[in-house]
Amino acid sequence: MALNVGVIGTGMIGQDHIRRLTQVLSGVTVVGVSDIDLERAKMAAPEGAQIFETPEALIASQMVDAVVICSWGPAHEAQLLACITAKKPVFCEKPLVTSEAAALKVMQAEEAHGSRLVQVGFMRRFDGDYRRLKAVIDGGTLGAPLMYKSMHRNASVPHDLYTSDMPLNDTLVHDADVSRWLLGDEITGVEVRVPRRSKQGGDLRDPVMVLLHMGSGAIVDVEISVNVAYGYDIRGEVSCETGIAALPNRPATVITDQFGIRQAIPEDWRERFIDAYDQEFREWIVAARQGSATGPSTWDGYAATLVADAALKAANSGAFELIEMCNKPKIYN
Ligand code: NAP
């Protein structure tokens, strides 16, 4: 029997996820949608899906087995808590929530439920290249990981919507999460350095360099540049005791012409991570059908929230900002 899903938030990524749930993946049906903008919900709803006037009505509906949250970050807390109260598995786009207090509330509610219900949309963990990189590190043949370089470059960001805080509280969360996952370690402190600004970014604090200090003593150096003009360029290289493991540049057709020999660069995250998004939902559907969740958890969303808060503080103080996590509830082990 198909998993009947309700989607909350039908903006850019909500529409993309509805497309994959209806046209790419099997074992799932989008039976309901909700958006603060009812007209947008109607436009995005697949044939036969019900339009719900509120997220609460969608979550409570008997026809909805599981929920996908694609609304903006500040709305996630209330929607996640309602899903947990209704005991429904929920996929929530990043960020899990936008404050430490909210993350703790969601964690407490899930712990009280007694098992995981929430999966967070950190799709890099489902990308084939990242999975192969992790397998090499976990295999141990290169020794312990000592340093990781993570490069996150966007062609451009909307100048009217993207603020100077966002490289640190929006973009960085993917690099922070993948660092914790690849190195099997927690982040214990953050430093931020702001180099000469790119003229491409106008007044924006861009680029930024972030140092993540890991519990083991390993250090992660993250470059975030959000106006590089040439494309969406995600790189990663782990230096271990006896060797180096790196993400490959994506295979693409090699073009030879009057400008030289070159390969195309993905335009944006939708193109670069298209297979990873499909895979994260494949695995979510399997878990949600069993009333459960897999992959990135509320704990991982909480960790990313703490890193974002500490990074913003570090950008202002110029100092090393400590991160202290609460005890990890057993359901996340
Ligand atoms: P978006 O285009 O602004 O879409 C968000 C949609 O949710 C809008 O239609 C918005 O309506 C609606 N909405 C806001 N509050 C709501 C509420 N309380 N109930 C129901 N609908 C509500 O944003 P987006 O780019 O799709 O991003 C959505 C989420 O996905 C964000 O959390 C973002 O960080 C995340 N995201 C993740 C990735 C990834 O790589 N994993 C990539 C992109 C985005 P209004 O426009 O009227 O407010």
Side-chain angles (χ1 to χ4, degrees):
M1 230 175 48
L3 179 76
N4 290 328
V5 167
V7 178
I8 301 172
T10 53
M12 186 168 49
I13 204 157
Q15 290 177 30
D16 201 37
H17 288 338
I18 289 172
R19 177 195 59 76
R20 64 174 37 86
L21 291 169
T22 53
Q23 296 174 27
V24 181
L25 302 173
S26 56
V28 61
T29 307
V30 176
V31 294
V33 300
S34 164
D35 195 290
I36 217 160
D37 179 341
L38 268 184
E39 287 311 309
R40 190 182 296 146
K42 283 182 196 158
M43 190 268 293
E47 216 185 312
Q50 185 172 328
I51 314 296
F52 288 89
E53 293 211 354
T54 64
E56 293 76 23
L58 178 145
I59 294 165
S61 168
Q62 298 260 337
M63 61 197 273
V64 171
D65 302 327
V67 178
V68 173
I69 297 178
C70 301
S71 54
W72 74 315
H76 292 181
E77 176 187 353
Q79 294 166 2
L80 282 164
L81 290 172
C83 290
I84 296 170
T85 303
K87 302 188 189 333
K88 294 194 179 175
V90 50
F91 175 93
C92 180
E93 261 311 336
K94 67 87 191 161
L96 174 77
V97 287
T98 50
S99 73
E100 179 178 358
L104 290 172
K105 254 197 223 168
V106 175
M107 211 147 61
Q108 279 154 11
E110 205 177 19
E111 202 186 358
H113 169 73
S115 63
R116 280 191 59 190
L117 284 172
V118 179
Q119 179 175 328
V120 185
F122 290 131
M123 74 295 181
R124 290 189 188 188
R125 295 186 184 210
F126 299 86
D127 175 72
D129 292 335
Y130 273 106
R131 285 187 161 183
R132 284 183 284 276
L133 179 59
K134 179 165 172 59
V136 170
I137 299 164
D138 289 350
T141 52
L142 301 181
L146 309 174
M147 289 178 286
Y148 172 47
K149 289 186 185 55
S150 187
M151 278 144 275
H152 192 141
R153 301 184 183 124
N154 292 69
S156 65
V157 288
H159 283 206
D160 51 334
L161 297 174
Y162 197 91
T163 66
S164 275
D165 284 350
M166 288 175 77
L168 300 172
N169 68 7
D170 192 65
T171 306
L172 175 67
V173 295
H174 284 297
D175 302 274
D177 181 69
V178 94
S179 302
R180 296 175 55 249
W181 175 72
L182 275 178
L183 305 185
D185 208 350
E186 291 298 357
I187 299 166
T188 54
V190 181
E191 289 175 77
V192 174
R193 296 287 174 269
V194 183
R196 177 181 178 179
R197 287 181 188 208
S198 161
K199 283 198 199 93
Q200 306 278 348
D203 293 335
L204 206 62
R205 185 162 56 197
D206 171 38
V208 288
M209 197 179 111
V210 182
L211 289 183
L212 303 176
H213 294 260
M214 311 302 292
S216 65
I219 292 182
V220 177
D221 143 13
V222 185
E223 172 197 321
I224 298 178
S225 301
V226 294
N227 286 286
V228 297
Y230 67 86
Y232 182 69
D233 190 5
I234 299 298
R235 303 187 191 201
E237 182 176 294
V238 185
S239 301
C240 300
E241 288 166 311
T242 61
I244 286 165
L247 286 175
N249 272 346
R250 297 270 292 168
T253 306
V254 180
I255 301 163
T256 306
D257 64 8
Q258 59 179 323
F259 303 112
I261 300 173
R262 63 191 196 283
Q263 288 178 291
I265 298 163
E267 227 174 89
D268 64 16
W269 39 272
R270 276 171 297 199
E271 184 184 346
R272 168 62 182 84
F273 288 112
I274 188 165
D275 296 334
Y277 289 116
D278 290 349
Q279 188 59 24
E280 78 177 342
F281 273 102
R282 259 183 220 111
E283 296 183 27
W284 178 68
I285 291 163
V286 171
R289 288 172 82 157
Q290 294 161 1
S292 179
T294 187
S297 66
T298 301
W299 176 258
D300 300 310
Y302 161 68
T305 305
L306 295 186
V307 173
D309 288 352
L312 283 178
K313 234 165 125 185
N316 293 324
S317 69
F320 170 91
E321 297 293 342
L322 193 68
I323 292 181
E324 285 177 290
M325 300 183 81
C326 64
N327 290 329
K328 192 174 184 175
K330 279 202 189 85
I331 61 166
Y332 304 119
N333 286 332

